[in-house]
Amino acid sequence: MCGIVGYMGHRDAKSVILKGLKRLEYRGYDSAGIAIYDGSNIKITKTKGKVSDLEQKITSYEEELRKIEEQQKEYQANMREAGEIRQELVRVNENLESILKRKLFSNGYIFYGPEGIGKKQTAIKFIEEIFNQYSSNSNIQEKIKDNNHPDFLLIEPTYLLKGNLINRSLTGPSKNNKETIRIEQIRNLKTFLAQKSIESEKKIVLIVDAHLLNEAASNCLLKTLEEPTNGLFILLTSRLNLLLDTIISRCQLIRFKSFSFKELE
């Protein structure tokens, strides 16, 4: 013995059929199922128990489908974004390659754009290529990575711990301590620049998260930029608006573009 409910029309077929099946439950059926034609496929769902069990199974199935669709959309958006970022890095690298070929270096560069788009990696590669123009040393990349190149200085945000300055790279970002770039670090920079170059004609300074320069450090850096040296500065920032306008005016801007959702679409 069975009960059958059918519907054809413009209303939500699932709701109509489930409502009809519930009206037949008094007959004591021990299972239920539903088949819906969506114009191209027939979707069948069935289960043992009451119609409410069937309804719950359908709801769970639909939620799972929604999650899968959302994951697919997110994946496609991420792939589009990755492609756009690669194109942007190609544009930036072409610009830097032109600078390398002409050997007309500015005193300072500011690489600015959103976090996680490759500013630091691109800066390191740029620095390697500059050093390669003056040296055939095969381990330049390793020396820069280890911050052990005699003509390279890395400055990054620090925080105070028991009276000592701790570099962010040693422990990662600190939640409990304010990270900043301090005037002592910029003074050390001036000492570094005063020394004679060893393996290159230029001494290069890379400042990570330059927007974290405190006021005293910013003013000290500005004076350093104004002084003629054989130094080359590269500042990385995701917040260009926090840098002094006078520092920005003394550097060549290299933009790493961000992409809106509409652009990715």
Side-chain angles (χ1 to χ4, degrees):
M1 180 178 176
C2 66
I4 300 174
V5 177
Y7 172 74
M8 180 181 294
H10 298 290
R11 293 166 59 190
D12 179 21
K14 178 193 69 177
S15 300
V16 174
I17 293 174
L18 286 172
K19 187 176 181 180
L21 290 175
K22 287 179 180 179
R23 291 178 177 177
L24 297 177
E25 272 194 307
Y26 72 92
R27 298 183 179 182
Y29 301 127
D30 61 357
S31 62
I34 185 171
I36 297 178
Y37 179 65
D38 62 5
S40 57
N41 298 295
I42 297 177
K43 297 179 181 179
I44 301 174
T45 307
K46 54 186 177 180
T47 187
K48 292 181 180 180
K50 298 181 178 181
V51 176
S52 59
D53 297 321
L54 175 64
E55 190 172 16
Q56 185 176 358
K57 185 174 182 179
I58 293 172
T59 301
S60 299
Y61 177 70
E62 289 176 339
E63 288 178 356
E64 188 64 28
L65 281 180
R66 278 196 293 270
K67 288 180 182 178
I68 293 173
E69 290 175 357
E70 289 173 1
Q71 290 172 353
Q72 289 175 338
K73 288 180 181 179
E74 183 179 358
Y75 173 77
Q76 292 169 355
N78 288 339
M79 291 300 293
R80 288 195 296 269
E81 183 177 10
E84 295 287 354
I85 289 174
R86 283 194 293 270
Q87 291 179 13
E88 177 65 10
L89 291 179
V90 167
R91 181 193 64 79
V92 170
N93 286 326
E94 288 176 348
N95 187 7
L96 296 178
E97 286 173 6
S98 176
I99 292 171
L100 289 166
K101 287 179 181 178
R102 291 184 284 114
K103 294 185 179 181
L104 297 175
F105 298 106
S106 298
N107 190 33
Y109 296 89
I110 297 176
F111 289 15
Y112 72 100
E115 296 287 350
I117 202 170
K119 298 188 296 297
K120 185 175 181 181
Q121 295 90 331
T122 303
I124 293 295
K125 184 63 178 176
F126 184 49
I127 293 167
E128 287 177 21
E129 294 300 327
I130 294 174
F131 284 152
N132 281 330
Q133 292 186 344
Y134 304 107
S135 172
S136 58
N137 197 321
S138 60
N139 61 345
I140 288 177
Q141 183 178 14
E142 184 177 344
K143 286 184 176 181
I144 293 174
K145 182 180 178 181
D146 295 336
N147 197 19
N148 194 34
H149 193 288
D151 299 320
F152 171 69
L153 179 65
L154 172 68
I155 294 179
E156 59 182 332
T158 60
Y159 59 90
L160 282 172
L161 182 64
K162 296 181 180 179
N164 297 316
L165 282 182
I166 307 298
N167 288 332
R168 176 203 285 171
S169 59
L170 296 178
T171 59
S174 173
K175 295 181 180 179
N176 301 321
N177 298 282
K178 183 180 179 181
E179 295 180 340
T180 187
I181 298 175
R182 306 162 198 275
I183 191 170
E184 297 95 323
Q185 295 173 268
I186 305 303
R187 286 173 178 163
N188 290 338
L189 178 161
K190 298 180 75 171
T191 302
F192 166 76
L193 292 175
Q195 299 169 351
K196 185 178 180 181
S197 301
I198 296 175
E199 296 184 9
S200 172
E201 291 185 12
K202 288 188 174 293
K203 299 180 80 69
I204 301 179
V205 178
L206 177 62
I207 302 179
V208 178
D209 285 344
H211 54 273
L212 293 180
L213 284 155
N214 64 25
E215 184 178 357
S218 293
N219 290 326
C220 188
L221 176 61
L222 176 60
K223 292 179 181 178
T224 307
L225 285 169
E226 292 172 338
E227 296 169 357
T229 67
N230 68 333
L232 187 153
F233 296 84
I234 301 177
L235 283 63
L236 310 181
T237 182
S238 59
R239 304 182 68 180
L240 184 66
N241 61 305
L242 296 183
L243 294 181
L244 292 179
D245 290 340
T246 43
I247 288 179
I248 295 174
S249 67
R250 285 163 176 76
C251 298
Q252 181 176 340
L253 297 178
I254 305 293
R255 181 189 180 194
F256 288 69
K257 185 181 177 184
S258 60
F259 301 96
S260 68
F261 181 76
K262 287 185 178 179
E263 287 175 311
L264 295 176
E265 285 292 298

